[in-house]
Amino acid sequence: MRGQQTEPLGETSEPLGDKDSTDDVELAVIGLGYVGLPLAREAAETGLRVVGLDRDPRVVEALNSGRSHVDDVSDDEVRRMLAARFRAHTDDACLARAQTVVICVPTPLSPDGGPDLDAVTSAVRSVAGRLRRGRLVVLESTTYPGTTDEVVRPLLEEISGLRAGTDFALAFSPERIDPGATTHGLRETPKVVGGVTPGCATRAATFYGKLVDTVVQAKGTREAEMAKLLENTYRHVNIALVNEMAMFCREIGVDLWDAIRCASTKPFGFQAFRPGAGVGGHCIPIDPNYLSFKVRSSLGYDFRFVGLAQEINRRMPEYVVRRAQDLLNAAGRPLQGSRVLLLGVTYKPDVADQRETPAVPVVRLLRARQAVVRFHDPHVPEWSVDGAPVTRVDDLMAAVREHDLTILLQDHSAYDLPALADAARRLFDTRGRIFRPGVEVL
């Protein structure tokens, strides 16, 4: 691999020994979203001088005024960052003073099913135009194996005229942010790093060692890139497994939820996954496609496990709506014209994040069947699907009494589930949280 050909960086690497007098910023983070802002906060709390770059002027203005747009970073934490001299910028001139630059921009799916690298290449061009000897550049954006060495490295070298591994350090470190998690934040979650040379990896590991308790060095950038895809593909495939089991277990008279409970008592060889209305967030519905793209474009055949998992998980909203229709039909009501209340429209509990939430296709399918759809979510004050607003109910308990069917899509901790079960005319629990007579469970 090209990344293993260059002489490794290290203390004896002369070009990296000189620190420019203008390098008074220790970290610049490009992309101040769900990944970049927690990283900037952790670095600022550690005592590093941090700047952030984001192309959205509304995000930059809010952060510089002490307001956060990310669930895991509070307004108080942003104000503490500002007190530690953090500033957000829309101008990439802020990169010129940074010793380390970490790229945390989105990588959505492109029309051909691979990652859309436009934001990554734009960020890399900004870095390259400001790159100097001795700097460390790290890509954290999720992508396919080979991106750092085949896309990022050539751009940096061509524009800057510097060589990775000799003049500057280049590495990949996959983000492992779990929005809403309270037991394993950025510092407690081991950080994987892979460099284009062993010296680059050491340099990146030294940097992240200031921010996290454990740093794990991968063999190279491709292995670090693959580690992220392996983690999410593992979850994607296993969620699809239990989702498909949920669909047939009911037909053969098996309580899958109880089977999962029993299997979970095994102290080895089993990890519990649970069915639901679909998968959401950026990672599980999106990231495995990057690996499929790489296999297909490089080898000419499909990664069949991912394709099958995607097919199953995408069917779940339709299955949920079909079950809802059956539940109403059993009570002598058609779905058409019925009032349906959705509880929890985010992609996971106790966050406001709606990326790829399965609640969206559920609403589309209910509307197509002419149901009257309303929603409640303690984290979402207003919501629209395909440009059409979904009415939010304010009095939750009154709403569950008035609606013909209530569907629990996300089990936020703010919900008093037993009270909701008592009040609802009909309750369909897609999260497996309410096991009592009269409640339909997925």
Side-chain angles (χ1 to χ4, degrees):
M1 292 187 295
R2 180 186 175 195
Q4 302 301 326
Q5 304 293 320
T6 309
E7 187 68 19
L9 292 170
E11 294 180 359
T12 60
S13 182
E14 185 68 25
L16 292 179
D18 299 327
K19 180 175 179 293
D20 195 292
S21 60
T22 61
D23 293 353
D24 62 336
V25 173
E26 290 155 296
L27 172 64
V29 178
I30 304 180
L32 297 172
Y34 285 90
V35 175
L37 190 58
L39 175 65
R41 176 200 58 196
E42 192 68 39
E45 289 182 351
T46 303
L48 303 186
R49 176 76 191 279
V50 185
V51 297
L53 175 64
D54 199 285
R55 295 307 187 191
D56 189 336
R58 297 167 299 177
V59 168
V60 169
E61 180 183 0
L63 289 173
N64 288 335
S65 300
R67 302 191 308 275
S68 175
H69 61 291
V70 172
D71 289 318
D72 291 341
V73 180
S74 68
D75 290 350
D76 285 342
E77 287 173 321
V78 173
R79 287 190 284 268
R80 289 200 296 271
M81 292 169 64
L82 295 174
R85 299 193 298 163
F86 167 82
R87 287 297 180 274
H89 303 265
T90 56
D91 187 342
D92 62 21
C94 67
L95 304 178
R97 298 159 54 197
Q99 300 169 34
T100 297
V101 179
V102 179
I103 299 171
C104 304
V105 296
T107 47
L109 285 181
S110 63
D112 62 3
D116 181 344
L117 295 179
D118 286 350
V120 170
T121 55
S122 176
V124 171
R125 291 180 186 276
S126 294
V127 174
R130 308 286 180 177
L131 192 60
R132 299 177 184 173
R133 291 179 180 273
R135 304 296 175 86
L136 167 64
V137 180
V138 183
L139 177 64
E140 284 204 8
S141 303
T142 305
T143 184
Y144 60 84
T147 302
T148 305
D149 199 48
E150 298 167 4
V151 178
V152 175
R153 178 178 181 170
L155 269 177
L156 289 174
E157 293 184 336
E158 177 186 354
I159 296 172
S160 71
L162 302 174
R163 291 187 67 200
T166 300
D167 302 315
F168 68 94
L170 175 61
F172 180 82
S173 180
E175 61 88 5
R176 282 175 157 179
I177 297 295
D178 185 9
T182 57
T183 58
H184 46 270
L186 192 149
R187 177 164 289 279
E188 295 79 23
T189 303
K191 201 80 171 78
V192 173
V193 299
V196 298
T197 68
C200 290
T202 299
R203 177 77 179 274
T206 299
F207 164 72
Y208 281 111
K210 302 173 184 178
L211 310 181
V212 302
D213 295 335
T214 305
V215 176
V216 179
Q217 288 197 35
K219 182 179 179 180
T221 56
R222 285 172 170 80
E223 287 74 20
E225 290 160 339
M226 180 62 84
K228 172 67 175 179
L229 300 186
L230 175 59
E231 293 168 10
N232 288 331
T233 301
Y234 169 80
R235 294 164 63 201
H236 183 53
V237 168
N238 280 282
I239 291 170
L241 170 66
V242 294
N243 276 338
E244 185 166 36
M245 293 181 76
M247 287 187 273
F248 70 69
C249 276
R250 180 169 178 268
E251 302 301 323
I252 63 175
V254 174
D255 185 336
L256 176 62
W257 296 96
D258 192 57
I260 293 171
R261 178 185 65 83
C262 294
S264 298
T265 62
K266 186 178 180 181
F268 58 91
F270 180 82
Q271 180 179 352
F273 289 84
R274 293 172 175 82
V279 293
H282 180 272
C283 292
I284 300 177
I286 304 296
D287 293 357
N289 290 282
Y290 304 159
L291 192 51
S292 290
F293 169 80
K294 180 65 174 179
V295 172
R296 187 169 59 250
S297 61
S298 299
L299 304 177
Y301 57 82
D302 292 328
F303 185 8
R304 290 180 294 169
F305 262 110
V306 167
L308 181 59
Q310 196 78 285
E311 176 188 336
I312 293 168
N313 287 332
R314 283 178 176 166
R315 282 207 326 250
M316 289 309 292
E318 184 176 355
Y319 178 70
V320 165
V321 171
R322 189 167 72 248
R323 288 279 300 275
Q325 187 170 9
D326 291 344
L327 183 58
L328 287 165
N329 287 344
R333 291 194 60 88
L335 181 55
Q336 179 180 357
S338 288
R339 295 166 296 179
V340 179
L341 177 64
L342 305 180
L343 301 186
V345 298
T346 59
Y347 90 89
K348 66 179 296 186
D350 299 330
V351 300
D353 194 343
Q354 300 163 49
R355 291 175 296 172
E356 306 296 327
T357 173
V360 168
V362 168
V363 168
R364 289 182 182 136
L365 291 164
L366 288 171
R367 283 175 169 174
R369 290 159 175 78
Q370 300 181 39
V372 178
V373 186
R374 298 184 179 91
F375 87 99
H376 179 274
D377 193 304
H379 303 278
V380 181
E382 55 185 34
W383 188 43
S384 63
V385 173
D386 300 330
V390 184
T391 301
R392 185 184 191 276
V393 301
D394 294 320
D395 188 334
L396 176 58
M397 298 310 294
V400 297
R401 294 186 188 98
E402 295 166 359
H403 282 73
D404 300 303
L405 175 63
T406 298
I407 305 178
L408 179 68
L409 293 178
Q410 202 52 263
D411 51 329
H412 295 303
S413 59
Y415 286 145
D416 184 341
L417 299 181
L420 291 172
D422 289 339
R425 292 185 182 182
R426 298 169 193 88
L427 180 61
F428 181 20
D429 172 15
T430 71
R431 304 306 303 160
R433 292 294 308 279
I434 313 169
F435 295 96
R436 61 165 64 182
V439 175
E440 184 85 355
V441 181
L442 183 69

